[in-house]
Amino acid sequence: MTPERYKKLTDWLEGHPALREGIILLNRWLPLVPFVCYPVLLVLLNLRWFRMLTIGRGGGALDFMQVIARAILVPGLAFWLGTILRARLNFPRPYEQPGFVPLVSKGTHGNSCPSRHALSAAVLGMVWLYFYPAVGVVMLAIAALICLLRVLSGAHFVRDVLAGAAFGLTFGFVGMWLL
């Protein structure tokens, strides 16, 4: 996004202070939803696994334990590889352009693409989708909203969040359904 286009957006938001404050508030707190819900998913999966063990489905429990391991490894590897990729690319952030004033101030420079917020929310949404499809759809909608908020806040370019979301969705799909 060019500084001129972003300025038009922030000028419009100045005329709508409730919306502006809502964007700032959601940008800060909405990314916590996938990260707080992920341990909840792991607890639910382990409860299911323990239940399988107690009713004597030992073989099925072993297979399910492997699926739980994927639910841990897939997001972890995606985050780690995404972090390495963004360090290698080291793309600048939108607010590093002259004349660009972000809605939410940040001191970080570079490492903009792929967005780790978008990547993490997308891959966690895919893991939820694998086990609990209804919750997964909600988590993926939250991931899409996080992507939008990262751009509106001025922390990322559209390309950054699209790359992060695509990486997370692809890694989640391959890791959970194809392996």
Side-chain angles (χ1 to χ4, degrees):
M1 184 175 297
T2 65
E4 295 80 25
R5 278 193 196 159
Y6 193 75
K7 175 95 170 86
K8 285 182 186 178
L9 173 67
T10 55
D11 286 348
W12 183 82
L13 287 172
E14 288 299 325
H16 300 84
L19 181 58
R20 180 182 182 280
E21 292 305 313
I23 290 169
I24 292 169
L25 187 69
L26 281 173
N27 182 66
R28 180 179 184 119
W29 296 107
L30 190 63
L32 293 176
V33 172
F35 309 116
V36 169
C37 290
Y38 179 59
V40 171
L41 173 64
L42 295 178
V43 167
L44 291 173
L45 295 178
N46 278 288
L47 288 174
R48 189 189 306 178
W49 179 62
F50 287 132
R51 202 168 327 128
M52 292 172 92
L53 288 172
T54 59
I55 61 172
R57 292 179 51 201
L62 182 60
D63 292 340
F64 193 69
M65 189 173 69
Q66 292 172 350
V67 177
I68 293 172
R70 280 201 333 253
I72 295 168
L73 291 174
V74 168
L77 284 173
F79 186 81
W80 182 66
L81 291 172
T83 299
I84 290 171
L85 178 61
R86 76 191 240 146
R88 297 269 165 137
L89 294 174
N90 198 25
F91 287 175
R93 297 201 175 247
Y95 53 80
E96 293 181 70
Q97 300 175 75
F100 195 103
V101 179
L103 195 59
V104 177
S105 296
K106 285 187 59 109
T108 309
H109 295 285
N111 294 327
S112 184
C113 183
S115 164
R116 280 192 304 199
H117 280 85
L119 183 156
S120 299
V123 75
L124 292 176
M126 292 300 284
V127 173
W128 271 100
L129 190 66
Y130 184 83
F131 295 103
Y132 300 98
V135 179
V137 168
V138 172
M139 289 297 187
L140 290 172
I142 289 170
L145 186 54
I146 289 169
C147 289
L148 176 64
L149 291 168
R150 300 303 289 166
V151 173
L152 291 177
S153 70
H156 287 286
F157 290 106
V158 172
R159 123 197 118 209
D160 304 337
V161 296
L162 289 179
F167 189 92
L169 292 171
T170 303
F171 212 90
F173 178 74
V174 169
M176 295 309 296
W177 278 276
L178 298 183
L179 293 180

